[in-house]
Each structure stands twice: as structure tokens, then as C-alpha cells.
Amino acid sequence: MKTFNWGILGPGTIAHEFADNMKALHPIYAVASRNLNSALAFQKTYQTEKAYGSYEELLCDPAVDIVYIATVNSQHYKCIMECLRHGKHVLCEKAIWGNYEEMKSALGLAKEKGLLLCEAMTIYHMPIYKKIRKMMKEGILGQIKFVEAELGSLKEDDPSNRFFNPDLGGGAMLDIGTYGLSFVAHFLSGEITGVQHLMSPYPTGVDEMWSIALKTSANEIGSVNLTFRAKLPKRGIIAGDKAYLSIMNYVRAEKAVLVYPDGSEEILEAGETAKALQYEIQDIEEALSTGDFSLAFMEDTMKVVKLMDHLLTAEK
């Protein structure tokens, strides 16, 4: 399979984790920061071939095939559009964006130019989920009835932190909500026909807690519970009328428990949590190599963006 030249926009914390994983697969071509010294420090750590002191310089480099966007949430859409205009494939850190109409425009531009646009959502790429999707197709769980996801991230009670800053795209929905919605929407079938929710805000005005219920045309129910100021188990459940699956650490799961109605259990294992970003990178590179962009799960991402847009708009 061809090796692609990746450029990284924004050498922050998540970019370092991404680079650590990419180095395990192949070299990183370029990094860009608005501060050249930051880019040079990143280059020194990860031995990138190029380091740029502006995003524009990286995007104008014809050797860059695909850009990983690791900027703050509020910059994602602008960066996505600039990458696409410069003819670059895009993998954008989650949450990719919260405005459905703008994402439709971005996806339209990507399709027009024959470019891949996708979100860095580990859930879609973990080997355990490939195994689970196969099990569901084979009917081992029976008819799916209910899919649930919980995630509580106990952030420090600091209004100046970006997580609570509305100007930086703060709030639980855009940080952890996208995980819960992605898990539930991915495993529900049919079209979403009903959405109900409760939301509690943080003093800065961003969303702090959510309880969300979904119903689909297949008569399935989804449930997502989120909080920024308390811990919840990082647990996903997929329940059918023949068995249910309980998945801890569902964001980067490597194990699931299959439970039958009589209480008997089977342990399923596949992949490694520590390699989550490597699986993501490998799937994206396979999509680019084969032209099978379904490996990027952009349809699932758009479904989630539409849900987030609906929920966030309802609370404005």
C-alpha cells in the first residue's frame, strides 16, 4: 500500500498522540503551527521532514497528500475548507463540526474535488467493532432493541479552560458528546425519527450535562448520557432480543462482554486500545489507496453532526 505524506495542522496535545502513533507506522512529512518555534520543536521530536510557521505554507506544499487537523474546535471548519481548496484530503479531529449545513457544503466540495473528508473518530476503526458489526449481521444479538452510551469527564472547575470557553468551541457536546452519539448512531438502524433531551449549562453558558433519547424508524431506542463535571462509566451497551453486549471504554475498546438471557457470558477480544489511532490511520490510508471512501464512515459522521446541530440549536 502506498505511503502518504501527512501534514499536521496545530501541534497541540492530541497532535502529539497522533504523531506517536503515526511514527509507529511510517514517517510524518510536515507540521505547521502559527508559531514557527512550536512547529520546529514538534519537528525535532518527531523528525518530520518539513516544519512551517503558517498553515498556508503547509497547504501550498504540493508534496502534502492529506492533512490531519488538530486545532481547537472553533477553527475546524475554516481549516477544513482551506485544506479542500488546496486539494488536500482531510482527517479532522473530533468533533469535526457542529453545523450541519456547513458540513454539507464541506462534504460537497470534497466530493467535487474527489477528496476524502472524514472525522478522527476511533469508534469506527477499532477491530472489536468490526467483529461486533459482523456478529450483528449474523443475527447473534437478534433484533436490536436498545443502544446506550455514557461518558462522564470530570474537568477541573475552571471557567478559563477551553473546555468551558464558548469562543473556543467548548462544551460537553463538542468534546465528549460526539463519542456517545457516534457509538449510538452507528449501531442503531433505520432513520432517526425522534429526539428528546435535557441539558444543564455551565456558568459560562456552554453545555455541561446532557441526557438524550433517540428513536428510529426500525423502532429502536438510543440513549446518551454525558457530563463534564462528574465521572460516569465509559460504557456502551448494544441490546438485542437474543443477547446484549456490554463494552467498557467504548471510545477505544478492545474487549466486549456478550451476555445471554440466561446470564451466561462470553468475552470477545480484538485489537489493542493503545493502537486506536494506528487503526484509524490505517483505515484512512486504505480508503485513499483503494478509493473506497466508505472506510472513513463519513455518512455516520454526517448523521452525528446533524444530531449535534439539532441539539445545540435547540438550546440557543
Side-chain angles (χ1 to χ4, degrees), residues 111-251:
K111 288 180 177 178
E112 177 187 318
K113 289 178 167 284
L115 297 169
L116 180 69
L117 169 61
C118 56
E119 180 179 41
M121 178 52 65
T122 51
I123 287 169
Y124 301 146
H125 307 288
M126 297 302 294
I128 191 70
Y129 291 128
K130 295 176 183 180
K131 192 170 188 175
I132 287 171
R133 288 194 292 268
K134 183 173 182 290
M135 289 175 59
M136 292 173 69
K137 191 173 183 180
E138 292 170 350
I140 292 172
L141 300 183
Q143 184 178 341
I144 301 303
K145 296 292 186 178
F146 189 82
V147 183
E148 176 185 351
E150 297 176 308
L151 184 53
S153 180
L154 184 55
K155 306 296 185 188
E156 184 181 353
D157 192 8
D158 178 6
S160 66
N161 191 293
R162 72 171 181 86
F163 294 116
F164 300 108
N165 188 331
D167 295 329
L168 296 179
M173 179 61 71
L174 291 177
D175 187 72
I176 59 175
T178 184
Y179 285 126
L181 287 174
S182 294
F183 178 88
V184 170
H186 186 60
F187 289 110
L188 289 173
S189 60
E191 297 297 316
I192 293 170
T193 56
V195 182
Q196 295 186 3
H197 74 277
L198 295 171
M199 190 278 282
S200 181
Y202 187 75
T204 60
V206 302
D207 49 293
E208 179 188 324
M209 294 185 288
W210 292 87
S211 185
I212 303 161
L214 310 173
K215 185 175 182 180
T216 76
S217 57
N219 204 31
E220 297 172 4
I221 295 290
S223 175
V224 179
N225 292 303
L226 312 164
T227 175
F228 246 5
R229 289 287 300 125
K231 277 292 185 183
L232 286 174
K234 200 179 291 183
R235 178 181 61 190
I237 293 173
I238 307 168
D241 59 9
K242 291 184 179 178
Y244 75 84
L245 283 163
S246 177
I247 305 134
M248 297 304 294
N249 189 29
Y250 68 87
V251 173

Side-chain angles (χ1 to χ4, degrees), residues 77 81 97 99-107:
Y77 181 69
M81 296 303 283
W97 196 236
N99 183 305
Y100 181 65
E101 291 302 320
E102 288 182 339
M103 276 311 301
K104 279 206 303 185
S105 297
L107 186 57

Side-chain angles (χ1 to χ4, degrees), residues 65-102:
D65 298 309
I66 178 168
V67 175
Y68 169 63
I69 296 173
T71 60
V72 295
N73 287 339
S74 59
Q75 296 297 310
H76 283 181
Y77 181 69
K78 180 182 177 182
C79 291
I80 287 168
M81 296 303 283
E82 284 302 307
C83 289
L84 295 174
R85 290 186 187 112
H86 282 82
K88 310 301 184 187
H89 300 289
V90 177
L91 174 65
C92 183
E93 192 48 59
K94 59 83 193 165
I96 190 168
W97 196 236
N99 183 305
Y100 181 65
E101 291 302 320
E102 288 182 339

Side-chain angles (χ1 to χ4, degrees), residues 235-278:
R235 178 181 61 190
I237 293 173
I238 307 168
D241 59 9
K242 291 184 179 178
Y244 75 84
L245 283 163
S246 177
I247 305 134
M248 297 304 294
N249 189 29
Y250 68 87
V251 173
R252 299 183 179 184
E254 60 184 19
K255 183 185 295 186
V257 182
L258 179 64
V259 185
Y260 294 98
D262 64 3
S264 60
E265 298 182 353
E266 291 180 27
I267 304 297
L268 311 176
E269 295 181 274
E272 299 175 43
T273 295
K275 293 183 178 179
L277 299 186
Q278 292 179 43

